[in-house]
Amino acid sequence: MDECIFCRISQGDIPADKVFEDDTVVAFRDLNPQAPTHILVIPRRHIATLNDIDNDAEAIIGRMYGAAREVAAAEGLAEAGFRTVMNCNEAGGQTVFHIHLHLLGGRMMHWPPG
Ligand code: 5GP
Ligand code: ZN
């Protein structure tokens, strides 16, 4: 997926402020943060949307949440709390079609979300 911006970040072809990486996932700071801390956790494997998760990919989703938990703790967000969000397709607000978990913290979150 040469044209996918998040695949290129995962491969190191495009710079990003990475805070965590392992064989399965990469986490980096969002370019347009919506909270004092706004980090994206992506799988290295290209998966376009949550609709495209198959049985094999369910383990990847688990690892994404595990990494989000580790990053939240490292960023000092665990005790106060934080939000994780994955947008799916147009009505869900998805703009980059390589799945990513938003990790947002450092301020009070509102509900319902906009
Ligand atoms: P979505 O709207 O698809 O749920 O979220 C996409 C997110 O990716 C947005 O928050 C946007 O700011 C972020 N983003 C898009 N392009 C880049 C980029 O090249 N680098 C980084 N770090 N974030 C990006
Ligand atoms: Zn991709």
Side-chain angles (χ1 to χ4, degrees):
M1 295 299 292
D2 289 349
E3 72 280 12
C4 171
I5 192 154
F6 284 0
C7 281
R8 297 187 67 193
I9 286 175
S10 165
Q11 289 155 10
D13 295 341
I14 291 179
D17 187 359
K18 291 179 183 170
V19 296
F20 181 90
E21 56 187 320
D22 66 13
D23 289 347
T24 308
V25 302
V26 182
F28 54 90
R29 295 191 194 281
D30 197 293
L31 210 53
N32 182 24
Q34 302 300 312
T37 301
H38 186 173
I39 290 165
L40 303 173
V41 182
I42 69 167
R44 289 194 186 276
R45 179 175 146 193
H46 181 86
I47 301 167
T49 81
L50 193 55
N51 290 330
D52 302 303
I53 296 295
D54 55 20
N55 288 343
D56 289 348
E58 285 186 7
I60 293 175
I61 298 290
R63 184 63 202 127
M64 290 170 71
Y65 272 93
R69 174 182 56 76
E70 292 176 40
V71 170
E75 295 282 323
L77 301 174
E79 191 175 340
F82 56 90
R83 181 169 290 173
T84 53
V85 181
M86 189 183 295
N87 300 323
C88 183
N89 272 342
E90 188 182 356
Q94 185 174 7
T95 59
V96 177
F97 288 85
H98 177 134
I99 59 167
H100 46 281
L101 193 58
H102 294 261
L103 168 60
L104 299 142
R107 66 167 170 82
M108 286 299 294
M109 297 295 152
H110 306 294
W111 196 264

